[in-house]
Amino acid sequence: MTPEGSSSSMNNQSSNTSVPSATQDNPPEPLAARMRPVSLDEVVGQAHLIGAGQVVRTLIETDNLSSILFWGPPGSGKTTLAKVIAQVTNSEFATLNASSAGVKDVRGVIDSARAARDSNARRTILFLDEIHRFNKSQQDALLPAVESGLLVLIGATTENPFFEINSPLLSRLIMFRLEPLSNDDLSVLITRALTDERGLADEFSLTETAQAHILDKSDGDARRALNVLELASQLATADERTSIEQGDIESALNVRFIAYDKAGDNHYDVISAFIKSMRGSDPNAAVYWLARMITAGEDPRFIARRMIVFASEDIGLANSQALATAVAAAQAVEHVGLPEARINLAHAALFLARCVKSNSVIGAIDSAMADVEAAQAAQVPLHLREASYRGAKKLGHGKGYKYPHSYPGHVVDQTYLPDNMVGRTYYRPSGQGKDT
């Protein structure tokens, strides 16, 4: 089997079916690598893709793949599915990792694919792991071969492809979303690793509390679960025990892992959950997502900026103090910094979540901007034009303007919109809070 992370390989079905044995000079692969499935029947999870009759299973079993993209969190099975395809396909199979490969490597695979096609009419499948790490020019180098069918591309990414993959390339890929594994799925993998000859071969037992701890801390990541199990087994061995206990798991974990990538999909998903929780007036959910971001190392200035936007977009005139509070929190972040500024951010988030909501502000400005973009440039009415400079009155500027402070209530009825916009209504009070 081609080790994960190698920059390039070209093989067929018969070249990668054995598991290397451990020697003094060739130490065993990590448990997660040894336990990687070699057939579809061994794959756990992703039933919506590889369950009976599902599309990915059908494409693999019929060896009829078109170019596809596996998108999902770490440890969800993207590379595993690619390895299974390598085992069963009758096509040439090449592997590149975008973190180490370049345009030269891509062209090398394309040349080999052309030779395979011309010499024995065999197609070539290229598995490109971490495809999001390729820049635009590197992705562009793939495009002609994918478009012509010379290469069948299998891309894998943990990042949102709509942000990371060029539109021309993305449009030629069928995208499949992989989900984090469930605790039931992880339990199957853990049991298999404990008993299988490729794994721990029944040399260890695992207490229920220890297994529950692995499941709780793995966040649906199979690789993480198996790495923790392997390290815990080593700790038990060092203590001359065959029972893996919760203390071993805690020591193996050391620090709680939080599934969050400041540059990737979790970045957008978690901030979205944060905003929607405040919009939904749920202070408990809002402060949870805030804590998730702070703990994961999100830039506190980014969080503060989003709250400033939220204050006007979702609360607005219903409680104008919301904007002042959000701005104050942003200033506190600059003056105080973390960890203390977490208190200021929480203050603002809880206040915003508890406020009466109104979206009349964004509704007004967006409606007005739509009219501005759709209509020809409207002239400012003469009575509203600047009349203080010399010659302005000769042009009729300011003529007929009524000064509101000269009238009862300091309000006077006159036209303020351009002639072609008279009667348009942009601001529609929501009736919420002070927005009346």
Side-chain angles (χ1 to χ4, degrees):
M1 181 178 294
T2 304
E4 183 177 7
S6 63
S7 61
S8 175
S9 66
M10 183 75 78
N11 55 52
N12 56 32
Q13 182 177 354
S14 63
S15 64
N16 55 2
T17 57
S18 62
V19 178
S21 59
T23 67
Q24 185 173 2
D25 296 326
N26 181 27
E29 292 181 303
L31 178 63
R34 303 200 308 271
M35 294 306 303
R36 191 184 297 282
V38 294
S39 69
L40 270 178
D41 291 335
E42 284 192 349
V43 178
V44 176
Q46 313 306 335
H48 64 295
L49 300 179
I50 60 171
Q54 298 300 319
V55 60
V56 174
R57 173 177 282 273
T58 300
L59 291 174
I60 294 174
E61 289 180 337
T62 60
D63 197 11
N64 193 31
L65 280 173
S66 55
S67 291
I68 60 177
L69 178 67
F70 291 135
W71 169 31
S76 57
K78 302 180 296 296
T79 302
T80 290
L81 287 174
K83 298 290 186 181
V84 168
I85 293 168
Q87 296 289 338
V88 302
T89 184
N90 289 316
S91 304
E92 299 294 327
F93 194 93
T95 298
L96 292 175
N97 190 304
S99 64
S100 56
V103 171
K104 181 180 179 180
D105 300 291
V106 171
R107 289 174 178 163
V109 172
I110 291 173
D111 289 342
S112 297
R114 189 176 291 111
R117 181 196 62 186
D118 295 343
S119 63
N120 54 22
R122 285 171 65 88
R123 67 174 185 167
T124 297
I125 299 174
L126 169 61
F127 173 54
L128 181 56
D129 203 4
E130 300 187 83
I131 189 174
H132 58 274
R133 295 186 182 275
F134 262 13
N135 60 32
K136 183 179 184 301
S137 63
Q138 291 170 316
Q139 292 182 31
D140 286 344
L142 285 165
L143 190 59
V146 172
E147 187 171 29
S148 67
L150 178 62
L151 282 182
V152 175
L153 176 63
I154 304 175
T157 180
T158 57
E159 308 297 332
N160 190 323
F162 295 102
F163 296 108
E164 303 295 338
I165 311 299
N166 291 348
S167 295
L169 182 58
L170 187 60
S171 68
R172 289 162 176 80
L173 302 175
I174 302 173
M175 184 170 61
F176 296 106
R177 178 70 183 265
L178 280 70
E179 302 296 336
L181 299 188
S182 69
N183 282 354
D184 288 343
D185 295 332
L186 293 178
S187 294
V188 171
L189 294 177
I190 290 169
T191 300
R192 183 186 296 168
L194 285 167
T195 58
D196 196 287
E197 289 298 321
R198 293 173 296 173
L200 301 179
D202 278 324
E203 294 180 2
F204 297 90
S205 61
L206 182 67
T207 67
E208 290 185 8
T209 55
Q211 177 161 327
H213 207 51
I214 296 177
L215 298 178
D216 182 53
K217 304 300 184 181
S218 294
D219 291 303
D221 184 335
R223 187 183 301 108
R224 178 170 175 78
L226 294 179
N227 287 344
V228 169
L229 177 64
E230 182 174 34
L231 180 52
S233 71
Q234 294 167 355
L235 294 173
T237 298
D239 201 28
E240 298 182 346
R241 287 182 286 106
T242 59
S243 174
I244 301 173
E245 301 172 357
Q246 181 171 341
D248 300 316
I249 303 302
E250 290 174 346
S251 296
L253 285 161
N254 192 18
V255 177
R256 173 77 162 100
F257 171 79
I258 296 176
Y260 190 87
D261 184 340
K262 290 187 286 182
D265 202 34
N266 272 285
H267 166 82
Y268 297 102
D269 287 345
V270 175
I271 194 66
S272 174
F274 175 59
I275 294 298
K276 288 172 180 173
S277 297
M278 291 192 296
R279 182 180 296 138
S281 300
D282 188 334
N284 294 307
V287 79
Y288 167 80
W289 294 117
L290 174 63
R292 176 86 168 257
M293 289 186 288
I294 293 173
T295 304
E298 180 62 83
D299 185 347
R301 294 171 296 180
F302 168 74
I303 301 172
R305 288 195 299 268
R306 291 303 301 265
M307 286 199 289
I308 291 174
V309 174
F310 176 87
S312 290
E313 178 179 350
D314 286 281
I315 298 171
L317 297 174
N319 187 344
S320 292
Q321 188 62 32
L323 179 58
T325 300
V327 170
Q331 292 174 336
V333 167
E334 297 294 341
H335 288 290
V336 178
L338 292 175
E340 289 83 358
R342 76 190 189 285
I343 307 169
N344 308 112
L345 292 171
H347 179 167
L350 292 170
F351 180 85
L352 298 180
R354 295 176 68 245
C355 278
V356 174
K357 305 300 190 293
S358 171
N359 66 348
S360 65
V361 171
I362 189 174
I365 186 62
D366 283 356
S367 294
M369 290 183 71
D371 271 359
V372 169
E373 292 171 1
Q376 294 182 350
Q379 297 297 313
V380 178
L382 286 174
H383 67 283
L384 297 181
R385 296 186 187 184
E386 174 60 43
S388 61
Y389 64 89
R390 184 175 16 171
K393 290 187 178 179
K394 291 182 179 180
L395 297 174
H397 291 193
K399 184 178 180 180
Y401 174 66
K402 300 175 183 177
Y403 187 56
H405 297 295
S406 298
Y407 294 83
H410 297 241
V411 176
V412 62
D413 185 21
Q414 64 182 330
T415 299
Y416 293 97
L417 282 168
D419 291 343
N420 62 333
M421 295 293 175
V422 171
R424 297 289 291 167
T425 300
Y426 302 111
Y427 169 53
R428 302 179 184 277
S430 65
Q432 299 283 62
K434 296 184 180 297
D435 188 20
T436 57

